[in-house]
Amino acid sequence: MANIKTNLNGLEVMLFFWNSVMSKEKVNEGFLNDLCSMREFSYIYNEDFNNESLRRILSALNNKEPFSGNKTERKYYSNNLMILEYIDEVQPTIDAIKKLNLDKLAEETKDDVEIIIIPGISGSVEKHEDILLVDFFKLKNTENGLTISGESFEDVLKKQI
């Protein structure tokens, strides 16, 4: 039986950020810099999207400013705007993620894995050695449980492990 750890640190800090912006509280730049330096976010960075991209996007959202950047940056900004607009509809998905029980999956696999659920840019689940990076923006809570791209979340994880 494998040890499966679900890491929600990045999602939790973004939830705090979204709720702060929604309640018209300013988040200080030090917080944004710390957020952008988190290990969890480092997995989404690439040549089109880096920690400065994330900081600029969050700063624009925090200050309610328009944002311009490359295609990946604009998509990430847009996804965050959608979360801010529909935060009440997103909350059941967040609640389902927090209650996620992967014991059955752990019994079926041999390798230890860390599942990091974070607002990302991939639109799917990516494997990085012993880490599965799940793009929160693509998770949906349905009557049949969590899904990603219309497929059961657990089934998607099984394929990746």
Side-chain angles (χ1 to χ4, degrees):
M1 182 165 132
N3 180 26
I4 296 182
K5 177 186 173 204
T6 306
N7 180 333
L8 302 178
N9 295 339
L11 180 58
E12 292 285 355
V13 77
M14 284 299 291
L15 186 57
F16 172 81
F17 173 80
W18 293 325
N19 284 322
S20 295
V21 170
M22 289 300 299
S23 58
K24 298 181 179 19
E25 295 175 27
K26 284 281 187 176
V27 178
N28 72 43
E29 286 297 316
F31 175 84
L32 295 181
N33 290 331
D34 289 346
L35 184 156
C36 297
S37 298
M38 289 176 66
R39 176 183 73 91
E40 290 82 0
F41 284 96
S42 70
Y43 294 103
I44 68 171
Y45 299 148
N46 60 35
E47 64 277 352
D48 294 326
F49 190 91
N50 57 35
N51 61 342
E52 180 60 16
S53 301
L54 181 58
R55 191 203 61 74
R56 286 180 32 248
I57 290 164
L58 297 180
S59 182
L61 291 164
N62 190 35
N63 295 317
K64 304 206 178 357
E65 299 170 345
F67 179 81
S68 63
N70 66 40
K71 183 178 178 181
T72 304
E73 292 169 337
R74 289 190 318 271
K75 176 76 172 158
Y76 196 84
Y77 178 80
S78 174
N79 283 341
N80 277 276
L81 280 178
M82 194 166 29
I83 294 292
L84 291 170
E85 189 170 335
Y86 298 106
I87 192 76
D88 292 337
E89 295 171 29
V90 172
Q91 193 60 50
T93 300
I94 294 169
D95 294 341
I97 291 168
K98 289 181 179 181
K99 295 175 187 170
L100 197 59
N101 182 344
L102 299 175
D103 291 345
K104 184 178 174 191
L105 187 59
E107 291 172 8
E108 296 175 3
T109 188
K110 319 182 247 306
D111 300 323
D112 292 350
V113 68
E114 178 182 15
I115 299 171
I116 300 175
I117 301 175
I118 193 166
I121 61 171
S122 72
S124 62
V125 178
E126 293 179 346
K127 188 166 185 161
H128 299 265
E129 295 177 17
D130 61 344
I131 293 171
L132 291 181
L133 188 66
V134 178
D135 187 346
F136 168 75
F137 291 132
K138 293 300 179 181
L139 279 171
K140 303 287 181 238
N141 188 33
T142 68
E143 57 199 32
N144 298 324
L146 286 171
T147 63
I148 190 162
S149 301
E151 193 174 351
S152 160
F153 183 49
E154 286 189 38
D155 289 346
V156 172
L157 293 177
K158 279 182 202 176
K159 290 178 187 175
Q160 291 289 332
I161 294 176

